[in-house]
């Protein structure tokens, strides 16, 4: 899995770890489900919708998401505090590493459209697809 954590700390299975000292990204080789949640003023936006989508994806992929929403919210809050970052994107990853299920919470780079993108708009496409 790509190492895309940009903050100093991440949370792996309830444990706060320095992002650069973990090998978990190298160990995730099989299927994983993830969601990216925008964090504004330290609060995750549309959290319930993201969690519903993540749980549905996990169910469809055979990856059980065993954490409660409250635990995940607490982890995002902990990372906001530990990383001193109020405006960011939180990535939530649930995967199997061997026989172990892992859950990662960490921050990734934001990609805002900038002033020109806001005034002119950004290129988008339509995709017709159905998940099997």
């Amino acid at each position: 899995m790509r190492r895309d954590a940009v903050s100093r700390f991440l949370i792996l299975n309830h444990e706060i770890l320095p992002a650069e000292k973990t090998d978990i990204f190298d160990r995730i080789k099989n299927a994983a489900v993830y969601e990216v949640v925008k964090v504004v003023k330290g609060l995750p936006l549309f959290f319930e919708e993201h969690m519903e989508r993540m749980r549905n994806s996990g169910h469809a992929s055979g990856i059980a998401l065993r954490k409660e929403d409250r635990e995940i919210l607490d982890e995002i809050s902990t990372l906001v505090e530990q990383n001193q970052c109020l405006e960011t994107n939180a990535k939530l990853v649930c995967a199997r590493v061997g026989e172990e299920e892992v859950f990662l919470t960490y921050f990734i780079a934001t990609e805002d459209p900038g002033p020109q993108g806001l005034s002119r708009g950004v290129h988008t496409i339509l995709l017709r697809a159905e998940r099997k």
Side-chain angles (χ1 to χ4, degrees), residues 18 34-35 65 67 79-80 86 88-89 93-94 97 109 121-122 124:
Y34 74 92
E35 276 292 317
L65 179 54
K67 276 193 178 216
L79 286 179
V80 164
L86 297 174
T88 189
N89 287 328
V93 180
C94 186
V97 176
V122 293
T124 62

Side-chain angles (χ1 to χ4, degrees), residues 1 24-32 93 95-97 102 104:
M1 183 174 158
I24 189 60
F25 296 101
D26 300 327
R27 294 181 11 217
I28 297 175
K29 298 184 186 321
N30 296 324
V93 180
R96 273 193 224 102
V97 176
V102 297
L104 271 166

Side-chain angles (χ1 to χ4, degrees), residues 30-33 53-66 94-102 131-132:
N30 296 324
V33 294
R53 188 169 39 246
M54 188 172 189
R55 289 185 192 288
N56 289 340
S57 295
H59 181 71
S61 303
I63 299 173
L65 179 54
R66 301 190 196 303
C94 186
R96 273 193 224 102
V97 176
E99 296 299 314
E100 176 188 18
E101 284 195 10
V102 297
R131 186 177 288 178
K132 294 181 180 185

